[in-house]
Amino acid sequence: MSLDPQRLAPMANAIRALSMDAVQAANSGHPGMPMGMADVATVLWSKFLKFDPSAPDWSDRDRFVLSAGHGSMLIYSLLHLSGYASPTMEEIRNFRQLGSVCAGHPENFLIPGVECTTGPLGQGLAMAVGMAMAERHLNANFGDDLVDHRTWVIAGDGCLMEGINHEAIGLAGHLKLGRMVVLWDDNRITIDGDTDISTSENIRARYEATGWHVVECDGHDFADIDRAIEEALADERPSLVACRTVIGKGAPNKQGGHSVHGAPLGADEIAAAREYLGWTSAPFEVPAEILADWRSTGERGAAAHAEWKSREAGADGAAELARRMAGELPAGDEAYNAYVDSLIADKPKVATRKASQMALEALTAALPDLVGGSADLTGSNLTNTKSTAPFSADDYSGRHVYYGIREFGMAAAMNGMALHGGIIPYGGTFLVFSDYCRNAIRMSALQHTRAIYVMTHDSIGLGEDGPTHQPVEHVMSLRMIPNLLVFRPADALETAEAWALSIKQANRPSVLALSRQNLPAVRADSEMKSAKGAYRLQAAEADRKVVLVATGSEVELAINVRAALEAEGIGADVVSMPCAELFDEQDAAYRADLLPADALKVSIEAGVTMGWERYTGSDGINIGMNSFGASAPANVLFDHFGFTVEKIVPQIKAKLG
Amino acid sequence: MSLDPQRLAPMANAIRALSMDAVQAANSGHPGMPMGMADVATVLWSKFLKFDPSAPDWSDRDRFVLSAGHGSMLIYSLLHLSGYASPTMEEIRNFRQLGSVCAGHPENFLIPGVECTTGPLGQGLAMAVGMAMAERHLNANFGDDLVDHRTWVIAGDGCLMEGINHEAIGLAGHLKLGRMVVLWDDNRITIDGDTDISTSENIRARYEATGWHVVECDGHDFADIDRAIEEALADERPSLVACRTVIGKGAPNKQGGHSVHGAPLGADEIAAAREYLGWTSAPFEVPAEILADWRSTGERGAAAHAEWKSREAGADGAAELARRMAGELPAGDEAYNAYVDSLIADKPKVATRKASQMALEALTAALPDLVGGSADLTGSNLTNTKSTAPFSADDYSGRHVYYGIREFGMAAAMNGMALHGGIIPYGGTFLVFSDYCRNAIRMSALQHTRAIYVMTHDSIGLGEDGPTHQPVEHVMSLRMIPNLLVFRPADALETAEAWALSIKQANRPSVLALSRQNLPAVRADSEMKSAKGAYRLQAAEADRKVVLVATGSEVELAINVRAALEAEGIGADVVSMPCAELFDEQDAAYRADLLPADALKVSIEAGVTMGWERYTGSDGINIGMNSFGASAPANVLFDHFGFTVEKIVPQIKAKLG
């Protein structure tokens, strides 16, 4: 359609009306951003965004990310007005109510067309970087006919001020992701007041310093918005379009101030806004001709989709792309099975981080969906393989990303890749620095993304680098994030199983907590025992008095403790628990069989003990770390902090009485 | 002393020799940075840094932060060579061994002169911003005669690439912290290889965009280093000195490559380096004349210290400054006691975030050490009071910092302020965004800093903003960080107690998890019951069968559950547990009295249940959240997720049988 301001203005006002009415009805929400960015969004959807409302899962659609997620009524308005099946007007009326898909912040798992869940500031833009990376990677593999789309972002001052913005735009600039356009809602207002109470930054200069193209426009002048976006598309760099806007535009007495950011306008101001905007329809009603103009915005995309389908019909790789975009794994586990057979034969004594790389050698060769990387610790995390050449601006077909020292940016980009589809992302850092990207891991879990975190150096076994680098609370605290699997494998075989299980979780992320130090093989059979989360690795020989439950590097210790107990006639099982979450999902009989009520249960894990009482009861023994670590060689530390047979066996005997 | 290159070069080589020898002896560590930055550090210590080796706690010393903490041998060398009592050469010989103060990364609690613990990249520089803020604030209060020092940082590429760098320099530029100088080890190498595999940024332009002055120098040319630092001092903005260096300078075959970053050089390369540098002394030996030159570097500072002491002797405010720098609280609790009396009289029903502000009104009026702030949520966190005017470049005497949307930068700055001394920092964000600053909270705990985190909107009680904003795992996962107190008060009185207890923790940080929603007063007595972490709020009337343990907003619910049970003749205690860590520190008798073995123990907390088994046993009942929340009004959510009398009482009765 043409960009006739006489038609665009009412379209934008429809967004404003829905936004203020929905926030008012909910008596909570954020009208300022949707009203301020209504004009920009209307131009974007009318002329530029490639979308087909009847096919929100069309793989070659443009991706649109509302990074400033508090402005959720903007995207709900856009989806409804342009003809997506969801949200309905009834759902918009129920904005922010239990059961409505129109949640306070947009949630990808509730509405097709919401590409990712946003609200935690900065992450939407950073996920969009991952989407743009995914697009270029799949383009490199499947060609322009099948993969050729853009990534658009609407971001606010908060998204730009957060630290993750530095990481995200640094990565995007370095990787020359020129098909990414960020529309910045430059309204000079934050929650606390004018932006100048907390920042004096020249954002244009900062973006340019990082390899971005920057263009400015009047965010309330349709022609100027159009010009700026055209300039963005013409430049080969990623673009920031600074849209100078008035927050809450249309609310005559409140616009331009911070009170309009996150609270209902109130009945009086809404009445004034209706008059100001010339909007005479009842709440939640949109005049037919305005709605018709909105519905026509999807026509370009529907036509493009039809053309794409005709190209797809004869294209090489179309079936493979479809498989990948559907998140389905290819049939057959030959590579995995052959690798497991080799482990059973060889029983290698290796660090589980090394075992992870060995498993990845087999898996990355068999599964092109896997795209890995590391936050500048490739040689420590061991995330690269022979199959994963570097992903770079010169070669987007590569499958290993040098993310740089950008843990949070990496994790968000992984989410973006997984949400884009076609890729199973994995990425590494030291486990202790999971703290730096913790909220992105949480967002993986909330968004149901298959992101796999390779977190190495998982305990005081890290050794000399000391307490800043030694995880203590991390394994247990990651277990507390809902919908996340945390694996801490004991040897190369369990590491292989952890990888296989992680890859098969289509709707949840996994963390692999891996050792720096070498660990012996504790098992040599091909049954996928980790699938149940925990299993009896050794059964008591003498009358069973004790069950030792351990994870990761402490399974070897548990085996040695058991041997010492058995030598004294005290029967003890050893239970290996590589994944507590999967164990919790087993039936009560299985759990009770492994952890029987009549035995003294002893947990051994080189991390905090809190949480282990779930498995040992409060009358068990919990061997762990309840302080920070220290700087010394690993074996010295394990002795110092009590992880030896000599220090554990007497505690068990004392408890048995 | 004069900057005679003939004398500086051997001094710098002494750093190189100690660094390569110590790393070799430990068979682990990072020689690249100390060797690369030895020349810069030698100029800094010889001419610019104000320090007195005999008085590392002199309050007006310059602060020196080794943000690139992996290069710890640099600071150990500097402290030893310049005449600090610690580390001794024996301790340097035991670098990275258990019990040596020369840990893998520098730790402030082991060595005076190490101003903060570094290693987690980016945080040293961000803590230095807090130190520079503290210096200006105390200067504004106590004048140039008593407070007039600089903050120096050595940072590497990693520190600059991390997201927190954006937040830290944005804050420093905005606040015009011109007495801060960052010496950037511009060696163009990261662990993974050359910096250009992961970044294309123009760092100079980025810093200038953020209000910084930037100057460059040859980091191996003493005169040029001197010139650059002089230029930095002459500019009123904070300065970045880009020191072009060769990583591992002095190791002829390895310098300039990434292999020298984090591994011992090996005997052959050390021999080659000795020859290259003309260094003929045995390992861990420094020729007397070189040592004498090093020892003379402290003379400037010792003289300055003597002058400062003579000024201090007659100065107004000297005693108060000394009190504040010692971290001692003034005598008397009148303000607190009067406030508590008012609570007992009024029994206000307020959100605990509001109660926090009410407590702060009394405390900030009485205690000038308190300097607060919020990451752009002032009106939500309620961290400001009548006594805390804005801290700004125009008025450093202010006591409320508009941190902007910079949670990680805020938390690190708080650590810096606390480490500087003279300030008890507190700062707020939503509890869910503790994720964004989690490692800085951990660093508060590791560094023993009295930082107080005001984390509001602490559960699904946040309501409509939905699962991205609703903490579920956060309270429990923060409890897992060693040496951190986590308070979740039930009403205004417990909130006041939490504040009083937090302020009295000289050597550990606290988190206050506070409600968005109003909570009734559950208690009206002035005994400081929160000091024991948990206490019996209500005793059973009927024969005790049940103990209900709750925190925060769920204490009210526990009271109502108890009433329903008692009405059916089932006796139940209510235990309020505002701080699990303090409860864990009580003796066994106290703990057993509150949580007796013969009662069914039921925990009620609107967060994950894992961890609660410690207090309820595995045969208790844990009422909590084991999924993400949802978007809806708070009362709807509490009902939906099972936090009602009607849903809890039947579970208890079923368990009692």
Side-chain angles (χ1 to χ4, degrees):
Chain A
M1 64 178 291
S2 72
L3 291 182
D4 175 359
Q6 299 302 321
R7 298 177 71 174
L8 291 175
M11 290 170 70
N13 287 340
I15 295 172
R16 294 190 170 98
L18 285 178
S19 298
M20 64 187 185
D21 288 342
V23 171
Q24 189 68 21
N27 196 29
S28 88
H30 301 77
M33 199 284 257
M35 296 178 77
M37 284 296 278
D39 298 325
V40 173
T42 300
V43 172
L44 174 64
W45 283 57
S46 297
K47 178 169 173 188
F48 296 101
L49 188 76
K50 182 170 76 170
F51 68 102
D52 179 354
S54 70
D57 62 348
W58 171 32
S59 67
D60 202 32
R61 70 190 181 277
D62 283 359
R63 302 305 193 270
F64 171 75
V65 172
L66 187 71
S67 190
H70 52 273
S72 55
M73 271 310 304
L74 179 64
I75 191 165
Y76 300 147
S77 300
L78 290 164
L79 294 172
H80 175 77
L81 291 168
S82 62
Y84 284 77
S86 173
T88 62
M89 191 64 89
E90 186 61 23
E91 288 165 332
I92 289 177
R93 285 176 182 271
N94 285 314
F95 178 54
R96 294 180 156 240
Q97 305 309 307
L98 193 65
S100 172
V101 299
C102 294
H105 290 79
E107 295 172 0
N108 66 300
F109 48 93
L110 294 181
I111 306 189
V114 171
E115 302 288 358
C116 56
T117 298
T118 50
L121 292 175
Q123 287 189 67
L125 195 157
M127 286 190 276
V129 172
M131 293 178 191
M133 291 167 70
E135 191 271 346
R136 283 296 87 188
H137 180 71
L138 295 172
N139 173 274
N141 280 285
F142 294 97
D144 290 343
D145 276 357
L146 292 179
V147 183
D148 183 19
H149 54 271
R150 299 185 184 280
T151 304
W152 303 87
V153 179
I154 287 184
D157 289 297
C159 291
L160 270 55
M161 210 184 295
E162 289 284 2
I164 192 174
N165 186 257
H166 170 51
E167 301 185 13
I169 72 168
L171 195 59
H174 178 68
L175 294 173
K176 300 181 179 170
L177 301 175
R179 299 173 68 74
M180 178 170 177
V181 179
V182 175
L183 303 161
W184 165 36
D185 180 18
D186 178 17
N187 60 29
R188 303 186 191 176
I189 292 291
T190 73
I191 293 174
D192 272 359
D194 294 346
T195 50
D196 63 10
I197 71 167
S198 62
T199 183
S200 307
E201 177 182 296
N202 179 338
I203 288 174
R204 174 179 191 127
R206 178 168 70 89
Y207 269 70
E208 288 175 344
T210 315
W212 283 60
H213 162 249
V214 181
V215 59
E216 289 155 15
C217 70
D218 177 344
H220 301 303
D221 178 329
F222 298 113
D224 203 42
I225 297 164
D226 178 33
R227 172 201 55 79
I229 296 177
E230 288 286 3
E231 285 186 29
L233 298 186
D235 197 282
E236 65 184 8
R237 294 168 290 177
S239 286
L240 178 73
V241 180
C243 306
R244 186 75 186 89
T245 60
V246 175
I247 189 171
K249 174 79 175 177
N253 306 301
K254 292 192 169 183
Q255 63 187 10
H258 68 119
S259 70
V260 78
H261 165 82
L265 296 181
D268 291 350
E269 183 68 3
I270 288 179
R274 286 173 177 274
E275 183 160 335
Y276 182 90
L277 297 169
W279 188 265
T280 56
S281 300
F284 304 108
E285 286 184 13
V286 178
E289 65 199 35
I290 298 175
L291 192 61
D293 277 349
W294 265 114
R295 293 288 149 93
S296 74
T297 61
E299 290 170 5
R300 284 176 300 106
H305 186 194
E307 290 165 23
W308 180 88
K309 274 186 164 167
S310 66
R311 292 196 301 275
E312 184 202 25
D316 283 349
E320 172 69 355
L321 177 63
R323 175 194 71 74
R324 288 179 62 168
M325 292 302 299
E328 290 166 3
L329 300 176
D333 287 328
E334 294 80 4
Y336 173 78
N337 292 336
Y339 172 62
V340 165
D341 288 345
S342 77
L343 292 179
I344 292 170
D346 300 343
K347 300 180 188 60
K349 178 174 182 173
V350 294
T352 49
R353 63 183 169 129
K354 178 64 183 171
S356 168
Q357 188 179 45
M358 291 158 59
L360 279 171
E361 283 290 358
L363 292 166
T364 56
L367 189 61
D369 315 45
L370 285 166
V371 174
S374 168
D376 197 48
L377 289 168
T378 300
S380 298
N381 304 142
L382 299 172
T383 43
N384 56 344
T385 73
K386 294 186 189 74
S387 303
T388 60
F391 176 95
S392 71
D394 297 327
D395 185 0
Y396 292 120
S397 75
R399 292 169 58 196
H400 189 269
V401 184
Y402 288 110
Y403 282 105
I405 303 145
R406 304 181 178 107
E407 297 83 5
F408 201 3
M410 172 179 75
M414 288 163 60
N415 281 333
M417 284 188 238
L419 289 161
H420 179 281
I423 288 176
I424 300 174
Y426 66 92
T429 185
F430 287 160
L431 177 59
V432 80
F433 298 126
S434 64
D435 284 354
Y436 274 53
C437 54
R438 186 173 169 93
N439 199 262
I441 299 173
R442 183 179 209 255
M443 291 299 289
S444 302
L446 179 60
Q447 295 182 103
H448 308 175
T449 66
R450 178 163 40 188
I452 304 174
Y453 295 94
V454 182
M455 298 299 194
T456 71
H457 299 64
D458 70 346
S459 75
I460 52 171
L462 168 141
E464 293 89 343
D465 274 348
T468 53
H469 285 55
Q470 289 163 355
V472 171
E473 70 278 22
H474 298 76
V475 169
M476 189 60 81
S477 75
L478 287 165
R479 288 185 184 128
M480 303 205 159
I481 297 178
N483 199 43
L484 171 68
L485 298 186
V486 180
F487 290 92
R488 190 166 185 256
D491 67 1
L493 184 55
E494 282 195 0
T495 306
E497 293 178 336
W499 266 110
L501 290 165
S502 299
I503 289 170
K504 287 179 179 168
Q505 307 298 318
N507 294 310
R508 56 183 171 181
S510 299
V511 169
L512 276 59
L514 303 172
S515 74
R516 178 192 185 204
Q517 71 275 26
N518 286 342
L519 304 178
V522 299
R523 220 181 87 209
D525 63 77
S526 63
E527 186 187 341
M528 169 60 97
K529 291 184 173 170
S530 297
K532 291 190 172 177
Y535 60 92
R536 185 175 294 117
L537 177 64
Q538 293 185 331
E541 292 180 15
D543 189 29
R544 183 176 65 193
K545 294 279 192 290
V546 176
V547 174
L548 302 159
V549 190
T551 76
S553 48
E554 285 70 69
V555 173
E556 176 189 10
L557 175 57
I559 289 170
N560 294 335
V561 168
R562 173 184 175 274
L565 292 171
E566 294 276 356
E568 300 193 43
I570 302 167
D573 287 357
V574 172
V575 170
S576 180
M577 190 183 281
C579 182
E581 295 81 8
L582 289 176
F583 177 67
D584 289 348
E585 292 174 2
Q586 303 310 308
D587 62 35
Y590 183 82
R591 288 183 282 122
D593 179 61
L594 278 199
L595 303 176
D598 64 354
L600 170 66
K601 291 175 284 292
V602 180
S603 66
I604 313 178
E605 182 173 73
V608 292
T609 56
M610 196 169 195
W612 273 107
E613 292 92 348
R614 170 164 294 182
Y615 306 107
T616 63
S618 44
D619 54 353
I621 298 175
N622 303 112
I623 307 292
M625 292 283 299
N626 291 311
S627 70
F628 291 110
S631 172
N635 59 337
V636 175
L637 292 174
F638 278 114
D639 180 62
H640 177 73
F641 287 106
F643 295 91
T644 64
V645 173
E646 294 67 30
K647 290 178 177 167
I648 294 172
V649 167
Q651 297 178 63
I652 294 172
K653 289 168 65 180
K655 191 84 174 190
L656 290 173
Chain B
M1 64 177 290
S2 71
L3 292 182
D4 175 0
Q6 300 301 319
R7 298 176 72 175
L8 291 176
M11 290 169 71
N13 287 340
I15 295 172
R16 294 189 170 97
L18 285 178
S19 299
M20 65 187 185
D21 288 342
V23 171
Q24 189 69 21
N27 197 29
S28 87
H30 301 76
M33 199 283 258
M35 298 179 75
M37 283 297 278
D39 298 325
V40 173
T42 300
V43 172
L44 174 64
W45 285 57
S46 297
K47 179 170 174 188
F48 295 100
L49 189 75
K50 183 170 77 169
F51 68 101
D52 179 353
S54 71
D57 61 350
W58 170 32
S59 67
D60 202 34
R61 70 191 182 276
D62 283 359
R63 302 303 193 271
F64 171 74
V65 171
L66 187 72
S67 190
H70 52 272
S72 56
M73 271 310 302
L74 179 64
I75 191 164
Y76 300 147
S77 300
L78 290 165
L79 293 172
H80 175 78
L81 292 167
S82 62
Y84 284 76
S86 174
T88 64
M89 190 63 90
E90 186 61 23
E91 288 166 331
I92 290 177
R93 284 176 183 270
N94 284 314
F95 178 55
R96 293 180 156 240
Q97 305 308 307
L98 193 66
S100 172
V101 299
C102 294
H105 290 76
E107 295 172 2
N108 66 301
F109 48 93
L110 294 180
I111 305 187
V114 172
E115 302 288 356
C116 57
T117 298
T118 50
L121 291 175
Q123 286 189 68
L125 194 158
M127 287 190 277
V129 172
M131 294 179 191
M133 291 167 69
E135 192 270 345
R136 283 296 88 187
H137 179 70
L138 295 172
N139 173 274
N141 280 285
F142 295 97
D144 289 345
D145 276 358
L146 292 179
V147 184
D148 183 20
H149 54 269
R150 298 184 183 281
T151 303
W152 303 87
V153 178
I154 288 182
D157 289 298
C159 291
L160 271 55
M161 210 184 297
E162 288 284 2
I164 191 174
N165 186 257
H166 170 50
E167 301 185 13
I169 70 168
L171 195 58
H174 177 68
L175 294 173
K176 299 182 178 169
L177 300 175
R179 299 173 68 74
M180 179 170 178
V181 179
V182 175
L183 303 160
W184 165 35
D185 180 18
D186 177 18
N187 61 29
R188 303 185 191 177
I189 292 291
T190 73
I191 293 174
D192 272 359
D194 295 346
T195 50
D196 64 10
I197 69 168
S198 62
T199 182
S200 307
E201 176 182 298
N202 180 338
I203 288 175
R204 175 179 192 127
R206 177 168 70 90
Y207 269 69
E208 289 175 343
T210 315
W212 283 60
H213 163 248
V214 182
V215 58
E216 289 155 13
C217 70
D218 177 344
H220 301 302
D221 178 330
F222 297 113
D224 203 41
I225 298 164
D226 178 33
R227 172 200 56 76
I229 295 178
E230 288 286 4
E231 285 186 28
L233 298 186
D235 196 282
E236 63 184 10
R237 293 167 291 177
S239 286
L240 178 74
V241 181
C243 306
R244 186 73 185 91
T245 61
V246 175
I247 190 170
K249 173 79 176 177
N253 306 302
K254 293 193 169 182
Q255 63 186 12
H258 68 120
S259 71
V260 77
H261 165 83
L265 296 180
D268 291 351
E269 183 68 3
I270 287 178
R274 287 172 176 276
E275 183 160 337
Y276 181 90
L277 298 169
W279 189 266
T280 55
S281 301
F284 303 108
E285 287 184 13
V286 179
E289 64 199 36
I290 297 175
L291 192 59
D293 277 349
W294 265 113
R295 293 287 150 96
S296 74
T297 59
E299 290 170 4
R300 283 178 301 106
H305 185 195
E307 290 165 24
W308 181 88
K309 274 186 165 168
S310 65
R311 291 197 302 275
E312 184 202 25
D316 284 349
E320 172 68 355
L321 177 63
R323 175 193 71 74
R324 288 179 61 168
M325 291 302 299
E328 291 167 2
L329 300 176
D333 287 327
E334 293 80 5
Y336 173 77
N337 292 337
Y339 171 62
V340 165
D341 288 344
S342 77
L343 292 179
I344 292 170
D346 299 344
K347 301 183 187 60
K349 179 172 181 173
V350 294
T352 50
R353 63 183 171 128
K354 178 63 182 171
S356 169
Q357 188 179 44
M358 291 158 57
L360 279 171
E361 282 290 357
L363 293 165
T364 55
L367 189 61
D369 315 44
L370 286 166
V371 174
S374 168
D376 197 47
L377 289 168
T378 301
S380 297
N381 304 142
L382 300 173
T383 44
N384 56 344
T385 72
K386 294 186 188 71
S387 304
T388 61
F391 175 95
S392 72
D394 297 326
D395 185 0
Y396 292 120
S397 74
R399 292 167 59 195
H400 190 269
V401 183
Y402 287 110
Y403 282 105
I405 303 145
R406 302 182 178 106
E407 297 82 7
F408 201 3
M410 172 179 75
M414 287 165 59
N415 280 333
M417 284 188 238
L419 290 162
H420 179 282
I423 289 175
I424 300 174
Y426 66 92
T429 185
F430 288 159
L431 177 58
V432 80
F433 298 125
S434 63
D435 284 354
Y436 274 53
C437 55
R438 186 173 169 93
N439 199 263
I441 299 173
R442 183 178 208 255
M443 292 299 289
S444 302
L446 180 59
Q447 296 180 102
H448 307 176
T449 65
R450 179 163 38 187
I452 304 174
Y453 295 94
V454 181
M455 298 299 193
T456 70
H457 299 64
D458 70 346
S459 75
I460 51 170
L462 169 139
E464 293 89 343
D465 273 350
T468 54
H469 284 56
Q470 290 164 354
V472 170
E473 70 278 21
H474 297 76
V475 169
M476 189 60 81
S477 75
L478 288 165
R479 288 186 183 126
M480 303 204 160
I481 297 178
N483 199 42
L484 171 68
L485 298 186
V486 180
F487 290 93
R488 189 165 186 257
D491 66 2
L493 184 56
E494 282 194 1
T495 305
E497 293 178 336
W499 266 110
L501 290 165
S502 297
I503 288 171
K504 287 180 179 168
Q505 308 297 318
N507 294 309
R508 57 182 169 180
S510 299
V511 169
L512 277 59
L514 304 172
S515 74
R516 177 192 185 204
Q517 71 276 27
N518 286 342
L519 304 178
V522 299
R523 218 182 88 210
D525 63 77
S526 63
E527 186 186 342
M528 168 60 98
K529 291 184 173 169
S530 297
K532 291 190 172 176
Y535 60 90
R536 185 174 294 117
L537 176 64
Q538 294 185 331
E541 293 179 15
D543 188 29
R544 182 176 66 193
K545 293 279 191 292
V546 176
V547 173
L548 302 160
V549 191
T551 76
S553 48
E554 286 69 69
V555 173
E556 177 189 10
L557 175 58
I559 289 170
N560 294 336
V561 169
R562 173 184 175 274
L565 292 171
E566 293 277 357
E568 300 193 42
I570 302 167
D573 287 357
V574 173
V575 170
S576 179
M577 189 182 282
C579 182
E581 296 81 7
L582 290 176
F583 177 67
D584 289 348
E585 292 174 3
Q586 304 309 309
D587 62 34
Y590 183 81
R591 289 183 283 121
D593 178 61
L594 278 200
L595 302 175
D598 64 356
L600 171 65
K601 291 175 285 293
V602 180
S603 65
I604 313 179
E605 183 174 73
V608 292
T609 57
M610 196 169 195
W612 272 108
E613 293 90 348
R614 170 164 296 182
Y615 306 107
T616 62
S618 44
D619 53 355
I621 298 176
N622 303 111
I623 306 293
M625 291 284 299
N626 291 312
S627 70
F628 292 109
S631 173
N635 60 335
V636 175
L637 292 173
F638 279 114
D639 179 62
H640 177 73
F641 287 107
F643 295 92
T644 64
V645 172
E646 294 68 31
K647 289 177 178 169
I648 294 172
V649 167
Q651 295 177 62
I652 294 172
K653 289 167 65 179
K655 192 84 172 190
L656 290 172

